[in-house]
Amino acid sequence: HVPSVPENVQACNAASVPSHTLAIVPANTHHRPMARIVAIAGQKGGAGKSTVAISVASELHARGGRVLLVDADHQGTAITWSGIATEAGADEPTTVAMGDNLRGQLPAMAEPYDWAVIDCPGRGGKRQVAAMAIADVVVLPCGPSPADAWALAETVEELARVLELRPELVAVVLMNRTDRTAIGASAKEAVESLGLPILASSLGDRVAFRESMAAGRGVTRYASGTVAANEVRRLVDEIEERAGA
């Protein structure tokens, strides 16, 4: 038995495309969609990218925005979450799966929306570069240890090549699963050495994030009065400001 695809979940052709089609070109040579595109990126799996992407997309939707959540990760976490949301009758963003042709497909698909939030794969590659090439804002979640910061270095190298031709691209680091230990402080120092701005907002390692994911909800709607929800609201405030919304 093949399960049906929930109404708010769409699948796109994930066929690979020749590598030359991912060459980075200045943004002003392409038709730009109305939507502001936010890419949640980074090389390291387990950095919490999917939780960040889902939380941000859900809160933008709660604020009245027309939001498209794009699952470009092979693990399909956002698609699974969206399926749970649909089964529960929750009012959450439309979610689509996109593969290696993300750069070719997303701009046209995003036109009816105010925001498109991309959950990038944990191992980088073509999809991550494609996301950066069409994004307005790139958010790089970083965990609480220096090793997490070191793992960002390869992503920052890819990002630097994009920024050479797209200097208007906004790229920031989000400290995720933070704590107040000396290790957490040293992780922040390691991130600062990468030369990217760090957002004033941060996300803690909180049970409410895990519970809301399991329920198919964004944390600001599932547990609106929690510390986790307030952290996400501050994060989305910053993203809106950085994106000029």
Side-chain angles (χ1 to χ4, degrees):
H1 173 67
V2 179
S4 60
V5 179
E7 291 181 359
N8 73 327
V9 180
Q10 302 176 32
C12 294
N13 180 12
S16 61
V17 294
S19 58
H20 71 269
T21 63
L22 293 174
I24 301 163
V25 297
N28 60 10
T29 65
H30 285 282
H31 170 61
R32 297 291 292 158
M34 180 178 65
R36 292 175 173 87
I37 299 177
V38 180
I40 312 299
Q43 291 287 352
K44 190 175 185 296
K49 290 189 296 295
S50 294
T51 299
V52 173
I54 288 167
S55 299
V56 167
S58 179
E59 173 59 13
L60 288 167
H61 180 69
R63 295 183 182 196
R66 295 167 296 176
V67 182
L68 180 67
L69 175 59
V70 180
D71 192 339
D73 192 350
H74 303 282
Q75 292 184 344
T77 301
I79 285 290
T80 301
W81 170 84
S82 185
I84 296 170
T86 299
E87 291 177 5
D91 179 20
E92 294 291 354
T94 298
T95 304
V96 299
M98 287 193 180
D100 291 344
N101 198 26
L102 179 148
R103 187 180 181 191
Q105 292 178 320
L106 181 56
M109 182 172 287
E111 285 185 358
Y113 296 90
D114 301 310
W115 295 90
V117 180
I118 307 171
D119 181 17
C120 293
R123 289 290 177 259
K126 289 192 292 186
R127 296 184 192 181
Q128 180 162 269
V129 173
M132 291 179 179
I134 59 175
D136 298 291
V137 179
V138 174
V139 178
L140 305 176
C142 180
S145 76
D148 293 309
W150 302 334
L152 280 181
E154 187 174 346
T155 302
V156 172
E157 290 180 5
E158 288 183 342
L159 182 62
R161 291 192 288 272
V162 177
L163 286 168
E164 286 180 2
L165 292 173
R166 292 199 57 216
E168 76 280 6
L169 175 62
V170 175
V172 292
V173 175
L174 167 69
M175 300 307 296
N176 192 29
R177 298 173 177 168
T178 57
D179 54 39
R180 298 180 182 276
T181 65
I183 293 176
S186 63
K188 190 170 183 179
E189 290 179 4
V191 170
E192 289 171 345
S193 70
L194 296 175
L196 290 176
I198 301 174
L199 293 173
S201 54
S202 62
L203 303 182
D205 185 12
R206 309 198 187 282
V207 173
F209 285 116
R210 294 186 283 277
E211 290 180 342
S212 63
M213 288 281 286
R217 304 301 305 273
V219 71
T220 59
R221 311 184 101 182
Y222 177 81
S224 63
T226 61
V227 173
N230 289 330
E231 288 175 340
V232 170
R233 291 186 187 104
R234 287 193 290 269
L235 169 60
V236 172
D237 287 343
E238 282 200 80
I239 289 174
E240 287 183 326
E241 181 180 356
R242 299 271 181 166

